[in-house]
Amino acid sequence: MTESRAISAAFGADLHLEIRGPALRAGLMDALRDAVRTGRLAPGTRLPSSRTLAADLGVARNTVADAYAELVAEGWLTARQGSGTRVAPRAAAAPARRPASPPQLPWQRTRSRTGKPLHTLHPGTPDLASFPRAEWLKAARRALTNAPHEAFGYADPRGRPELRAALAEYLARSRGVRAEPDRIVVCSGFAQGLLLLAAVLRGRRVRDVAVESYGLDVHWAALHAAGLRTPALPLDADGTRVDALTGDGGPRPGAVLITPAHQFPLGGALAPGRRTALIDWARSTGGLVLEDDYDGEFRYDRQPVGALQSLDPERVVYLGTASKSLAPGLRLGWMVPPRHLMEEVLAAKGDIEWASSSLEQLTLAEFLTSGAYDRHVRGVRLRYRRRRDQLVAALAERSPHIRVTGIAAGLHAVLELPPGSERAVLRAAALQGLALQGLDAFRHPDTPPGRDALVVGYATPTDSAWPGALEALCRVLP
């Protein structure tokens, strides 16, 4: 006989016990021992009084009191006047002895003792220490205070109306996006937006989504998981070669995933003529352009390149995210699909919002409308530009033969290396405790190997770690 009982203890905790066998006292003791042994009851946890537990279990108080007393005698529990009955402290198991490590050579001593890199220059992540905690907390308090009661219920799959209204104003002002609040769909980051679009495209019997020959494998994998193929479009100095969409023997995709404002990871902007040609292709074929505007706020040397979506909102799906401007951990992004796609996107998302917190959405809406978002972006833009300039200056002094490209915008730079040296540099970086990624890591499987280069995320370290990361980078360059 096994009886599962949920106990609502007077001290505020719920405890689930499985009492086995017909003998209640023995079954209760076994259940408590098992809870302590498996860690469900941690050392120091206060148990309910014998009176409360007996009432919850529907047994005599003496049954519980006797079980407690015996477990105290066995050392499982402790009982003190005024402190109640608690789980006894347990000695931690002694760790297994490890064989002595051989002495480190001088060039090995820069590696972290924990096995983690001392410095990370991976692209795609902002300085997480720069997250505006104080301003975000103020916005969260205002949002929570003013939140309507229905905000705590199941939400509209499009997202909170307050955030969609704030995004419509911001995107039109800063990125030139043509969107009304009812055309915006809030997502749990870019990844969810891409998955929703993949489902829509699959439902429309699209089989191929063309991608750039260098990009993120997680995006290609998401499309493959939806049953879509990803033919790669070549790149040159003017960006993605959109003429390959219509060339003889080339792919005939139903959609294109592209980063036109700042190609990832090579860093160039799509040339004006190719932007126009891409829109012409979409209009003539009925295709869709999926515009990944992942870091549109960060342009340093001239005015930002406007969103491609402004050229034809009915042929371009605009996707943005707060992952670079604020932090990826917020899991907040947005898309602006054409009107003829809205019903299909919402059908793919479901009847309610299940991925993004309403309170986080309300906080971001308040952060945008109060001007705090603009102030934060301006501040980190200046900080990242200084880091970029320091990177360029350090390389000019110590490795003048290394050409730096892709630095007009974004949070990373491309360092071109001598032919055949990329792997050697990455190995040297690992020995120095420096996490780096080479350009080859971003190459589409169907693209032949290209030039050797590093993709350096200069925004990733904290301000205090940046000088050390830059010094480590300079040491490993050929």
Side-chain angles (χ1 to χ4, degrees), residues 7 28 40 51 98 152 174 201 243 288 303 399 416:
I7 302 165
L28 175 59
R40 287 199 301 114
R51 185 189 304 276
R98 297 180 179 178
F152 300 98
S174 68
L201 293 170
D243 61 308
L288 283 173
Q303 286 295 315
S399 299
E416 296 193 7

Side-chain angles (χ1 to χ4, degrees), residues 129-360:
S130 69
F131 183 81
R133 301 185 188 214
E135 289 297 324
W136 186 263
L137 182 58
K138 291 177 185 177
R141 285 173 173 164
R142 292 193 298 268
L144 186 60
T145 300
N146 299 324
H149 298 318
E150 49 90 12
F152 300 98
Y154 294 108
D156 187 326
R158 294 174 298 174
R160 289 298 307 173
E162 298 89 342
L163 178 56
R164 290 188 281 114
L167 284 170
E169 186 277 332
Y170 173 76
L171 294 174
R173 169 171 54 83
S174 68
R175 303 297 299 128
V177 174
R178 294 160 59 185
E180 300 77 37
D182 64 350
R183 289 189 60 175
I184 296 176
V185 179
V186 178
C187 306
S188 175
F190 175 86
Q192 189 198 20
L194 184 61
L195 289 173
L196 293 174
L197 292 170
V200 170
L201 293 170
R202 183 68 177 172
R204 289 190 164 210
R205 301 187 181 278
V206 171
R207 293 293 179 264
D208 293 330
V209 177
V211 299
E212 296 168 305
S213 54
Y214 284 85
L216 286 175
D217 57 357
V218 292
H219 295 168
W220 307 328
L223 295 172
H224 289 161
L228 299 167
R229 296 186 293 256
T230 59
L233 300 175
L235 288 156
D236 61 20
D238 289 329
T240 300
R241 287 185 50 196
V242 298
D243 61 308
L245 293 168
T246 56
D248 294 336
R252 291 291 185 269
V256 177
L257 174 61
I258 193 168
T259 52
H262 187 226
Q263 202 284 325
F264 185 86
L266 295 177
L270 190 64
R274 293 191 179 177
R275 289 164 66 94
T276 303
L278 184 57
I279 296 299
D280 289 343
W281 165 84
R283 289 171 176 168
S284 63
T285 64
L288 283 173
V289 179
L290 314 184
E291 179 181 12
D292 180 4
D293 192 34
Y294 66 100
D295 64 357
E297 294 94 343
F298 297 103
R299 180 159 288 275
Y300 307 118
D301 297 328
R302 65 174 187 267
Q303 286 295 315
V305 177
L308 185 70
Q309 186 261 10
S310 63
L311 298 181
D312 193 337
E314 294 307 313
R315 300 265 42 107
V316 179
V317 184
Y318 177 87
L319 297 112
T321 175
S323 295
K324 307 297 183 293
S325 57
L326 286 169
L330 290 178
R331 305 312 311 141
L332 284 173
W334 42 87
M335 77 162 87
V336 185
R339 288 195 179 279
H340 64 88
L341 278 188
M342 277 295 293
E343 288 189 9
E344 293 166 78
V345 168
L346 295 178
K349 195 174 186 188
D351 294 332
I352 58 172
E353 172 58 76
W354 53 266
S356 300
S357 162
S358 291
L359 292 181
E360 296 291 357

